[in-house]
Amino acid sequence: MSNFWEFSVWSWMVLFAVLLGSLLVGNVLKKAIPFLRNSLIPTSVLAGVLLLIVASVYKAITGDVMFDTVVFGGKGTETLEIITYHTLALGFIASAFKTTNSKLTKQRTGEIINTGVTTVATYLIQGIVGLVITIIAASVLTGFFAAAGVLLPFGYGQGTGQALNYGNLYEMDYGFVGGRSFGLTIAALGFLSASIGGVIHLNIMKKRGKLVLSKRRDGSLHTDEVESDNEIPMQESIDKFTVQVALIVVSYIGTYLLMYLLGYLLPGMRSVIYGFNFLLGVLVGTLVKLLLNFLYKKRIVKKKHTNNFLMTRACNFFFDIMVVAGIAAIRLDLLEKYWGVIAILGVVGAVITYVYNRIVAKTLFPDYYEEQFLAMYGMLTGTASTGIILLREVDGEFRTPVSDNLVYQNFPAIILGFPMLLLANLAPVKPILTLIIFVAFFLVLNIVLFRKQIFRRRKSKPDKKSK
């Protein structure tokens, strides 16, 4: 048994304290410095960058990796990656437990499907330009990993967790040295693209008189935003938040058991299966939610156990930790040969995401295209939370249906995006073939997306012979 004063007992607590402490410092800096306050850079990104800077300075002075010192248990970098991996799934599971009472009309269903198709089509165009760049780079740089460009849609389109998952897969299974740090760096650049690019767009549109920015809310909440009818009490023999966390963690353990079973049945796909922890977590979480709803309707369970407000808080907590841990885990020394490629990927990824989503929003969402564009651009360079941050600047009261679009689009996006997740495993073996399939898939999705514009029926001309 370990003594309580040994580093092995305290190392993980010290690591969490550093992560949470950096969030506090980042929040103070963001409120105190006007540039940071107006930049819309998420505090979690700022906190991660601060830790990355401190770790880089420590490495330059001592030659050692700061998070791999004895204070952090000798393998803090690995622990940061593990935290990033788990919090990705935990955040998605918490999101899956949230419910909505919105009724979907035929028009709204079409807009949600279009949003989901746009999400996957953006993944594909990011993957296409990413692969083109890295295939060319591989022909110039000796030993460069040609499939590295696939990490662009995972870093920009899906965020830190998936960028780590596939960076780790490419590093462990295909020998891409620095693959994890490469993916995490792309994800960090995505957050900066969302924040800085979003602010630039907002200021340009404001000067042109095309946008009126929303007034910042004071942060106060109405009672109905915190608790709905017939829920379990906030404080009883067990705290309501404890119940939410229990549901999330139990669902995640159910996800682990499912992954273990699938890995046992398909041992050759084990790396891929465990990389889908967030997707399978959403599935299990949704099943648990459906079971709770069934028991509630049958009056077996008398009170509702899930609470949207607390689930949102849990979701945001997990994603904040995911982002700061993911950025802090970046090893800059492993990327010294790749900075040129990374910079090109970052800039081109931001530009192509901006242009494509601008076109889609103007064409398919004419009634609220600015709100739709900002939310989609923010989400597809950062995360859904970044998209919401940009959306609040022009639609602080959520009067447009954009926020609902971001929530519901996950279902068509998961279904349509699943083949791309599988194709990402083909890329290291046959990058050019993967590129061709990406292009074909992108064209098909755009035919679906612009179906009304492409197949619009022409009005029949009047018969000249008729009197």
Side-chain angles (χ1 to χ4, degrees), residues 66-95:
M66 185 180 78
F67 288 109
D68 289 344
T69 56
V70 67
V71 176
F72 299 103
K75 51 180 181 179
T77 302
E78 181 181 334
T79 304
L80 287 171
E81 293 170 351
I82 292 172
I83 291 171
T84 304
Y85 171 79
H86 287 312
T87 48
L88 169 69
L90 291 168
F92 268 95
I93 292 171
S95 180

Side-chain angles (χ1 to χ4, degrees), residues 201-202 205-206 208-213 370-371 374 394:
H201 174 83
L202 286 168
M205 292 295 105
K206 183 181 177 182
R208 292 179 179 177
K210 295 183 178 181
L211 272 183
V212 177
L213 301 186
E370 280 292 355
E371 292 85 353
L374 281 167
V394 293

Side-chain angles (χ1 to χ4, degrees), residues 90-91 94-95 98 217 219-222 225-227 234 241 244-245 248 307-321 385 388 392 398:
L90 291 168
S95 180
K98 292 160 61 178
R217 292 182 60 180
S220 60
L221 294 167
H222 299 291
E225 293 180 279
V226 177
E227 189 171 23
M234 190 65 73
F241 185 68
Q244 313 306 302
V245 174
I248 295 168
N307 175 273
N308 279 2
F309 175 76
L310 294 178
M311 281 297 181
T312 301
R313 305 284 71 77
C315 176
N316 291 345
F317 169 77
F318 289 129
F319 284 153
D320 280 342
I321 295 297
S385 297
I388 292 295
R392 281 186 182 275
F398 296 139

